[in-house]
Amino acid sequence: MMDTSVCDSDALPGGTDEWHIAGVLVHADPVHIARVRQAIELMAGAEVHASNDVGKLVVTLEAPSSRAISAHLDHLQKLDKVLAATLVYQHCEDMAEMQEELSDEHSSGLH
């Protein structure tokens, strides 16, 4: 059974200190890919990592709650010339853990 207690802030008034990251595949009208990319890049917490000539964009969204991720996804789907925006994954981290400095002593050698 998966423990979701860390990522339940939407169920609590005021929430908890956490951060959500989502991966989204956006399909846009290829003729207007530059305009769609620009609109996405203007969104707070959104970043376009890749795009191609057939209108596909790989986007990440970052927000403090799953509700905010949902709102961003809804906004993406309503952008002019966007044909579809599909959530590929969503991950949540406790903010306190994200602020911890990692030491290299247990590193696998990958950087």
Side-chain angles (χ1 to χ4, degrees):
M1 181 196 255
M2 184 172 68
D3 177 16
T4 60
S5 60
V6 174
C7 297
D8 282 341
S9 70
D10 293 335
L12 303 171
T16 61
D17 290 331
E18 60 190 32
W19 199 247
H20 293 255
I21 303 166
V24 179
L25 178 62
V26 176
H27 187 193
D29 181 341
V31 175
H32 300 284
I33 191 82
R35 183 169 59 167
V36 171
R37 182 184 186 113
Q38 183 179 25
I40 293 170
E41 290 174 343
L42 289 174
M43 292 174 56
E47 183 176 348
V48 177
H49 296 275
S51 63
N52 65 22
D53 293 338
V54 296
K56 304 282 175 80
L57 299 102
V58 177
V59 177
T60 55
L61 302 173
E62 296 186 24
S65 70
S66 60
R67 220 171 259 174
I69 291 289
S70 180
H72 282 347
L73 185 58
D74 187 52
H75 181 75
L76 277 174
Q77 292 170 338
K78 292 177 181 175
L79 286 175
D80 190 34
K81 305 303 179 187
V82 167
L83 306 173
T86 305
L87 181 66
V88 177
Y89 74 90
Q90 182 175 348
H91 179 75
C92 173
E93 285 289 334
D94 181 77
M95 276 300 250
E97 290 178 14
M98 289 186 67
Q99 300 300 325
E100 291 178 12
E101 187 171 333
L102 300 176
S103 72
D104 286 337
E105 68 185 57
H106 294 31
S107 172
S108 64
L110 298 176
H111 299 280

